Amino acid sequence: MSPRSIGGLKLLLFFVCLAPLAILLMEVFGVAGMGLGANPVEELIHRFGLWGLRFLLITLAISPLRYLTGWNWLIRLRRMFGLFSFFYILMHFLAYSGIDQRFDLAAIFEDVVKRPFITIGFTAFLLLIPLAVTSTNAMMRRLGRRWQKLHRLVYLIAILGVWHFYWQVKLDTLEPLIYITILAVLLGYRLWRRFVRQPAGINRSGV
């Protein structure tokens, strides 16, 4: 795919990735009769977190798709999906800490300490911050091989993310189990590749 085509695709995907935010804003402000249901704050927090997890799994799916299809240009989309994952997870945290807890640091600290699913989610969020900060080309050059080692934290972050989702759900665990299965397939494929010959012309760099 030509650089111009990739640029056009990235622009299109950028607006597609913003669509969940646009829909949420319309629901928040009740546009065209849309709404967030009986518990809008809880629903807003949940939806931001869900989209953050979805984009995280999409980010992890880039390398397997690249290996299976031979489309090396896919790697140029990974950073954008990763940053959108961070954006939605950041909004998830801000909705919880700002709207739900009104930035009451004592209440937030108590939740993090006493509620295991929040402990896990908060840990995943903290681990994601350095990955977002070091996502630029300049940081890649500055860190060298350390950059790749640092960004392997994404595997742990994804595990903590689906774990957080599973523990947060009280009754119907079908949806988090679907995400757990997807993650297991993505990580399992990476483990399987360690025992097969590396296809010619494909670089194993990145996540």
Side-chain angles (χ1 to χ4, degrees), residues 52 56 82 85-87 89-90 123-133 153-154 157:
L56 185 59
S85 173
F86 175 73
F87 169 74
I89 291 171
L90 175 62
T123 302
F125 172 64
L126 291 180
L127 292 174
L128 194 57
I129 293 173
L131 272 63
V133 171
L153 281 174
V154 70
I157 292 167

Side-chain angles (χ1 to χ4, degrees), residues 128-149:
L128 194 57
I129 293 173
L131 272 63
V133 171
T134 59
S135 64
T136 63
N137 290 333
M139 289 303 299
M140 289 177 66
R141 290 191 295 268
R142 182 177 299 177
L143 293 175
R145 291 185 177 180
R146 290 175 296 171
W147 183 90
Q148 187 172 346
K149 292 180 180 179

Side-chain angles (χ1 to χ4, degrees), residues 33-101:
M34 301 172 71
L36 288 171
N39 194 335
V41 173
E42 183 178 320
E43 181 65 15
L44 185 67
I45 295 170
H46 172 71
R47 297 267 288 278
F48 273 132
L50 195 57
W51 277 108
L53 183 57
R54 286 169 178 170
F55 280 114
L56 185 59
L57 293 178
I58 291 172
T59 305
L60 287 175
I62 292 293
S63 287
L65 286 174
R66 176 192 177 202
Y67 293 138
L68 291 170
T69 63
W71 296 344
N72 288 336
W73 55 266
L74 284 171
I75 205 69
R76 298 183 61 179
L77 306 177
R78 187 173 61 191
R79 181 189 305 176
M80 182 174 66
F81 286 128
L83 288 174
F84 267 107
S85 173
F86 175 73
F87 169 74
Y88 281 106
I89 291 171
L90 175 62
M91 296 303 294
H92 173 67
F93 174 73
L94 290 177
Y96 157 74
S97 60
I99 301 175
D100 188 43
Q101 299 295 341

Side-chain angles (χ1 to χ4, degrees), residues 165-186:
F165 185 23
Y166 181 81
W167 272 6
Q168 182 265 333
V169 174
K170 296 179 177 64
L171 296 175
D172 187 4
T173 59
L174 176 60
E175 189 175 9
L177 286 174
I178 292 173
Y179 287 84
I180 290 171
T181 302
I182 293 171
L183 179 61
V185 170
L186 294 173

